[in-house]
Structure formats: C-alpha cells, structure tokens
C-alpha cells in the first residue's frame, strides 16, 4: 500500500484531487487531518459525512445522508446511518439513528417545518416529511407518519400505520398498528390495538383495560369512562366478567 509518514498531508490547490490505490496510512506523533469548513466528504461520489464547524451544530454520518443541511440553514440535527436525514435541509433539532431513519424529513420553507423529531431504529419515522415533535424508538416504529405531530411510539412495528394523527402514545411490539388518523390514544401492550383506528381519546392496556373519552390534559380530569374485560364501556366504570356485567 501507500504510506505518508508526516505530521501533515496538505493540498493547497482548491481543485486538488488525489487518488490512492491500496492502503493509505499515516504514522507519527501529532498527526493531523485538517479540512476547510466547506470540504465535502464523498464515498463513490455520494456524501457520507457532514460536520458543522459553526454553532449550526449539524452532524450526519452514513452513506447518502443529507448533502444540503449545512448550506440550507439546518440547525442542531444529528443523523447516523444509511440515508438517515437524507432529505433534511433547513430542519431543526432532529435526531436520527438507524437505516433510513427520518430519511424523508424536509423543511423547504413552503410548509410546516419537519422539526424536533427523534427516530431511533431502522426505518423509524422514515416517511415523516413535515411531522414535528415525534419520538419513535424501534424497528419500523412510526414508519408511516407523514405530517403527524406529538406522537410517542416505542416498539418494533409499533404505530405502523399512523399517518397524520396527533398525540398518540403507543408502547409494545406491533402495538397500535391499526391506528391511522385517530389521535390522543394510549395503547400499551404486546400487539395491542386501539378499538378503532380512526377514533380518538381511547385507552387499551394489555387488552384488558379500556377507556374512551379520555380528553383531559394537564390537571383536568377526563370526563370519559373505563372498562375492564370489554372494549366498550357503558358506564363510568364497567366490568365484564364470566357471570355478566357490572
């Protein structure tokens, strides 16, 4: 292979191109690579690294990650993985870890910005364009969200069909994978679904405790109802057992 035994390897021309066959190694003490703020890091002609040298604070690592995030005014975005944050431009405070995580996120200043999202896992939030304040953790978590906001999704394939919905909390493997446009639902448990994929303010805990009309926020008590053993409460507290209902 080829070796350079020096403290610095310097190209002074603005159009300098160097091609190396085999291995390239640098040895010695106080060895440095020093790049200009506008240096592009390419693999096979495609961007694989963006590292802001200003308070913009963007960092993306992975083949075909965002090529325009710094130039377009993006702020404090972090992406690791193949095509993570691929389409991000002027987006703000997005964090993506995993294959194609948040790959569709954009902020082209013509619509509501896709900001403040966190996606951890392969394909997590990978269809999210203008969605905001979403958190998805797990393989395929929240994969279909496009413009939905304020959703918290934890678990592989959880919240898989949510698209434009708001404020859902979904936890568990494949939990809430029937929700599409229903909002403010709480679904907890392995493969637990909402009673309706388009209704809002529903509760399902492990397919045994259900709720409806749970509209309360902050310190406001919800006017809804709770059911045990049935997904259809008929009173403030409904209990269905083997001997009938109470």
């Amino acid at each position: 292979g080829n070796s350079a035994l020096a403290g610095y390897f310097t190209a002074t021309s603005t159009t300098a191109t160097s091609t190396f066959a085999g291995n390239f190694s640098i040895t010695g003490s106080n060895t440095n690579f020093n790049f200009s703020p506008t240096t592009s890091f390419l693999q096979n002609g495609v961007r694989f690294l963006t590292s802001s040298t200003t308070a913009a604070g963007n960092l993306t690592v992975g083949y075909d990650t965002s090529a325009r995030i710094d130039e377009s005014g993006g702020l404090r975005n972090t992406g690791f993985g193949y095509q993570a944050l691929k389409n991000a431009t002027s987006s703000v405070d997005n964090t993506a870890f995993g294959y194609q995580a948040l790959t569709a996120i954009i902020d082209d200043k013509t619509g509501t910005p896709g900001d403040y999202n966190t996606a951890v896992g392969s394909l997590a939030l990978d269809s999210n364009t203008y969605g905001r304040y979403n958190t998805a953790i797990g393989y395929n978590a929240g994969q279909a969200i496009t413009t939905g906001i304020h959703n918290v999704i934890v678990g592989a394939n959880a919240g898989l069909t949510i698209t434009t919905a708001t404020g859902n909390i979904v936890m568990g493997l494949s939990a809430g994978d029937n929700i599409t446009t229903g909002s403010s639902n709480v679904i907890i448990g392995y493969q637990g679904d909402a009673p309706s994929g388009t209704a809002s303010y529903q509760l399902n805990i492990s397919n045994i405790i259900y709720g409806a009309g749970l509209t309360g926020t902050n310190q406001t008590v919800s006017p809804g109802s709770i059911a045990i053993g049935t997904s259809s409460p008929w009173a403030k507290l409904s209990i269905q057992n083997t001997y009938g209902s109470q």
Side-chain angles (χ1 to χ4, degrees):
N2 301 306
S3 296
L5 304 177
Y8 291 90
F9 181 78
T10 305
T12 57
S13 170
T14 58
T15 58
T17 301
S18 298
T19 302
F20 300 93
N23 299 316
F24 178 75
S25 63
I26 293 181
T27 61
S29 60
N30 299 318
T31 302
N32 297 281
F33 273 113
N34 188 29
F35 300 99
S36 75
T38 56
T39 299
S40 294
F41 297 91
L42 308 178
Q43 181 182 9
N44 196 32
V46 177
R47 181 78 67 100
F48 76 91
L49 172 65
T50 297
S51 180
S52 296
T53 59
T54 67
N58 297 299
L59 175 64
T60 63
V61 180
Y63 185 80
D64 204 14
T65 53
S66 178
R68 298 169 293 156
I69 199 167
D70 256 12
E71 298 90 328
S72 302
L75 297 173
R76 301 179 298 274
N77 297 283
T78 303
F80 281 81
Y82 175 83
Q83 293 186 341
L85 293 177
K86 172 182 169 63
N87 293 300
T89 53
S90 54
S91 300
V92 175
D93 289 317
N94 291 295
T95 301
F97 282 78
Y99 173 88
Q100 291 188 341
L102 276 172
T103 192
I105 198 72
I106 53 176
D107 180 359
D108 59 8
K109 299 186 183 301
T110 62
T112 302
D115 299 333
Y116 313 112
N117 298 286
T118 299
V120 180
S122 180
L123 299 174
L125 293 179
D126 88 319
S127 297
N128 191 344
T129 53
Y130 294 113
R132 293 168 290 143
Y133 298 102
N134 296 294
T135 298
I137 301 174
Y139 165 74
N140 241 10
Q143 188 271 338
I145 291 176
T146 53
T147 58
I149 63 174
H150 301 160
N151 296 287
V152 177
I153 302 168
V154 180
N157 292 318
L160 190 59
T161 56
I162 297 173
T163 54
T164 59
T166 298
N168 291 291
I169 299 175
V170 177
M171 303 181 69
L173 175 69
S174 298
D177 64 357
N178 69 323
I179 299 173
T180 53
T181 56
S183 296
S184 299
N185 297 293
V186 178
I187 311 297
I188 300 174
Y190 172 77
Q191 293 187 341
D193 281 335
S196 167
T198 57
S200 300
Y201 306 110
Q202 305 168 102
L203 168 72
N204 177 7
I205 300 177
S206 297
N207 283 6
I208 186 66
I209 300 174
Y210 293 87
L214 307 180
T215 58
T217 59
N218 299 321
Q219 295 180 334
T220 302
V221 176
S222 290
S225 53
I226 295 294
I228 299 175
T230 176
S231 60
S232 302
W234 60 88
K236 196 71 172 179
L237 175 61
S238 307
I239 301 175
Q240 180 75 45
N241 59 41
T242 55
Y243 303 103
S245 58
Q246 298 180 3

